[in-house]
Amino acid sequence: MPGLILLGGLAALVLAALASLFLAAGGDAWQGNVGYLVSIAGFTVYQALLSTLLSLSFGALVALALARRQFPGRRLLLALFGVAAALPSIVAVFAFAGIYGRAGIANTVLGAIGLPAISLYGLTGILMVHVFFNGAFASRVFLAALEAVPGEHWRLAASLGMPPATIFRRIDWPVLRRDLPALALLIFIACATSFAIPLTLGGGPGSATFEVAIYQAIHSDADFARAAVLALLQIAAMALLVTLAAPLLVRPPEAASVGRRLERPDREAGWLQLADALVIGFALLLLLPPLLAVIHAGRTLMAGIDPQVPRALVTSLVVALAAALLSLAAALLLSRSRLSLTKQGWPRLARLMAAGPLLTLAAPPLAFAAGLYVIARALGATDFVAMPALILVNAMMALPFVHRLVDPPMALAEERYGRLADNLGLTGWARLRLVEWPLLAPSATAGFALAMALSLGDLGVVALFGSQSLVTLPALLYAKLGSYRVAEADGIAALLAGLVLVLFLVAGRFGGRHARRG
């Protein structure tokens, strides 16, 4: 089974990378402080749990509001949600600092009217930025599920005169509940393995997470043994979590009826119109100021482009394109293998296939990249391995998010047309193009754009493998900040944000056009 081979290969790569860290340490065991480990684990779980609850609540409310409303600029708003979900972490942190920092615009206004300032550093700042990223992502996933509800459901609800509360209980909640377990697990792991956000906004050792501790062990102390122990503890905890939650990742059967999209009957309720307006307004209040701050910072681009920027831009685009293609292909292969295993009567293997992509997110990117670097250095092939390593790690880190987007429509295509496709003998590329792609197009293009955007913003991997001949936009941004050339760094940050925005606008048009053709 190709999917099992792929998962086995990914697991072997992660284990080989982590084993190399122990070997590089000369076999010395790290005598860790138990209290230190407990502190790191406690804060990691606490902030990840709060971030997940807030992100899911925000995402569900926004998705329901957008599902009920059609208005000018809605497509642009959805594109902004995509930008927010994939904006480079370091860019988002600096944008939030410009708005909510001690000398930021928001605190200046609050101080002028006599209100207490917002403290961005510590748990509050971490939660705000995590909701900015993951709340936007959750809203897109929930909205895609709500918009897939067959039209005859709304026709029946209207004929029965269902009030808004009954519509939510009978239609909306079952749809949201199908995606809730896997999405909650995905966001929890993403927050638990977050790096740039707790590193810059943590405010001290008391706010350190596993990722920050791994970075400090590698970057500050060159203690590969300590980094490996922390990485293995994190992977073991996340693997246990995914294993225990695996039964919840199997989606209940979805109605196979097909109907054209109709307007929801609850959209006319006056109090819901007000509530939806407030929710959409709150979403804009959270998402727009940091994005506008990045755009405003891009005024330096008008003064001229640094000669290093074009080459870094080309390198970033090549790496991002390759990583996105690899991640999308792997996600489609895993989804197809899961469905095949389910049909063949192998439910446990199917659950493993569903949970497999989340295990790649549990592997700390910094530790994995450091392990690959140690292996490449031992083989004397650091320069040769640098580009493939960048592509591979970025593809692996994007895989859980892409898989979360493409797996539901792939399952829906199987439920609706799978038996007919089997009778016609459609397999492989023909089955994907003729049967699955019409339903997959919006989610697949959004997943491709998300994977490419995440790769465009990667900094951790290129920090290890980068050189004068291999410079990406995030690495150049970091270098400008390190040399206090803030204006040029602002311009590069705006360029990255602009690329992500254009990427999602193009992906939205491409996916929508192909879905309509299907």
Side-chain angles (χ1 to χ4, degrees):
M1 179 66 65
L4 291 175
I5 295 174
L6 175 61
L7 281 183
L10 292 177
L13 275 174
V14 172
L15 290 176
L18 294 177
S20 69
L21 295 178
F22 279 111
L23 294 177
D28 295 332
W30 176 57
Q31 300 297 325
N33 187 306
V34 176
Y36 172 69
L37 288 177
V38 171
S39 174
I40 291 174
F43 183 77
T44 299
V45 172
Y46 181 61
Q47 63 86 18
L49 184 60
L50 286 179
S51 297
T52 302
L53 292 174
L54 292 173
S55 298
L56 290 174
S57 301
F58 173 85
L61 290 173
V62 171
L64 286 167
L66 291 175
R68 286 188 285 256
R69 308 296 159 199
Q70 297 291 329
F71 51 88
R74 184 176 182 272
R75 179 177 293 178
L76 178 60
L77 179 60
L78 292 177
L80 290 177
F81 278 31
V83 173
L87 194 69
S89 299
I90 191 67
V91 175
V93 167
F94 275 97
F96 267 82
I99 301 294
Y100 303 104
R102 293 185 180 92
I105 299 173
N107 281 333
T108 301
V109 173
L110 291 174
I113 60 178
L115 295 177
I118 299 173
S119 177
L120 184 65
Y121 299 96
L123 181 61
T124 302
I126 293 173
L127 293 178
M128 287 178 65
V129 183
H130 276 166
V131 173
F132 174 82
F133 282 113
N134 299 302
F137 176 72
S139 67
R140 289 179 64 89
V141 174
F142 283 141
L143 181 60
L146 290 170
E147 290 184 337
V149 174
E152 57 263 26
H153 287 194
W154 304 122
R155 185 182 296 112
L156 179 61
S159 65
L160 293 176
M162 287 186 180
T166 303
I167 288 176
F168 175 79
R169 188 173 68 253
R170 297 295 185 183
I171 300 177
D172 290 329
W173 175 242
V175 172
L176 296 175
R177 188 174 55 194
R178 278 199 301 266
D179 284 311
L180 195 59
L183 189 57
L185 186 61
L186 176 61
I187 293 176
F188 180 87
I189 294 178
C191 295
T193 58
S194 176
F195 168 66
I197 297 169
L199 177 70
T200 53
L201 298 179
S207 300
T209 61
F210 273 111
E211 288 283 294
V212 174
I214 291 168
Y215 169 78
Q216 291 171 343
I218 295 174
H219 185 266
S220 302
D221 305 326
D223 191 342
F224 291 107
R226 176 160 52 121
V229 169
L230 290 167
L232 286 177
L233 285 175
Q234 178 176 345
I235 290 177
M238 296 302 168
L240 178 62
L241 176 63
V242 172
T243 301
L244 293 176
L248 301 177
L249 301 182
V250 179
R251 291 167 57 88
E254 202 167 346
S257 56
V258 183
R260 67 183 181 89
R261 184 176 174 183
L262 300 176
E263 294 293 348
R264 296 170 54 113
D266 58 348
R267 64 190 304 271
E268 301 299 332
W271 68 273
L272 265 184
Q273 293 180 14
L274 177 60
D276 290 344
L278 291 174
V279 169
I280 295 173
F282 178 77
L284 289 173
L285 187 63
L286 176 67
L287 298 178
L288 272 184
L291 295 176
L292 291 176
V294 173
I295 294 172
H296 182 261
R299 65 191 185 278
T300 56
L301 285 176
M302 305 302 295
I305 298 178
D306 189 303
Q308 294 178 287
V309 170
R311 190 176 72 173
L313 173 61
V314 171
T315 302
S316 293
L317 288 175
V318 169
V319 172
L321 180 61
L325 287 172
L326 183 60
S327 184
L328 180 59
L332 293 174
L333 177 61
L334 291 173
S335 293
R336 166 51 48 202
S337 298
R338 180 184 71 81
L339 294 172
S340 297
L341 288 169
T342 302
K343 288 170 60 176
Q344 295 169 13
W346 297 90
R348 292 185 179 179
L349 286 178
R351 287 195 293 267
L352 175 64
M353 201 68 64
L358 295 174
L359 293 176
T360 65
L361 189 61
L366 280 173
F368 179 50
L372 293 180
Y373 179 78
V374 170
I375 294 174
R377 188 178 60 177
L379 297 175
T382 305
D383 293 336
F384 178 77
V385 172
M387 182 69 82
L390 277 174
I391 295 171
L392 176 63
V393 176
N394 281 304
M396 287 181 60
M397 294 306 108
L399 178 58
F401 298 97
V402 179
H403 182 264
R404 186 64 247 158
L405 287 171
V406 302
D407 190 60
M410 179 76 85
L412 185 59
E414 177 65 28
E415 290 166 4
R416 290 181 176 177
Y417 311 119
R419 183 173 300 177
L420 176 61
D422 291 339
N423 292 335
L424 294 175
L426 292 175
T427 59
W429 174 252
R431 188 186 186 107
L432 175 64
R433 182 173 61 88
L434 297 174
V435 177
E436 296 164 343
W437 186 251
L439 289 175
L440 272 172
S443 296
T445 51
F448 177 85
L450 178 60
M452 197 168 174
L454 291 174
S455 181
L456 282 172
D458 172 68
L459 176 61
V461 182
V462 75
L464 291 174
F465 285 96
S467 62
Q468 291 184 350
S469 60
L470 182 63
V471 179
T472 63
L473 285 176
L476 187 60
L477 169 62
Y478 184 77
K480 297 296 184 184
L481 290 173
S483 57
Y484 299 102
R485 299 165 72 174
V486 178
E488 295 179 23
D490 286 343
I492 297 172
L495 177 60
L496 278 169
L499 283 173
V500 175
L501 176 59
V502 171
L503 188 62
F504 275 94
L505 285 174
V506 172
R509 285 187 174 273
F510 180 83
R513 183 172 68 249
H514 279 256
R516 288 192 295 271
R517 286 179 182 176

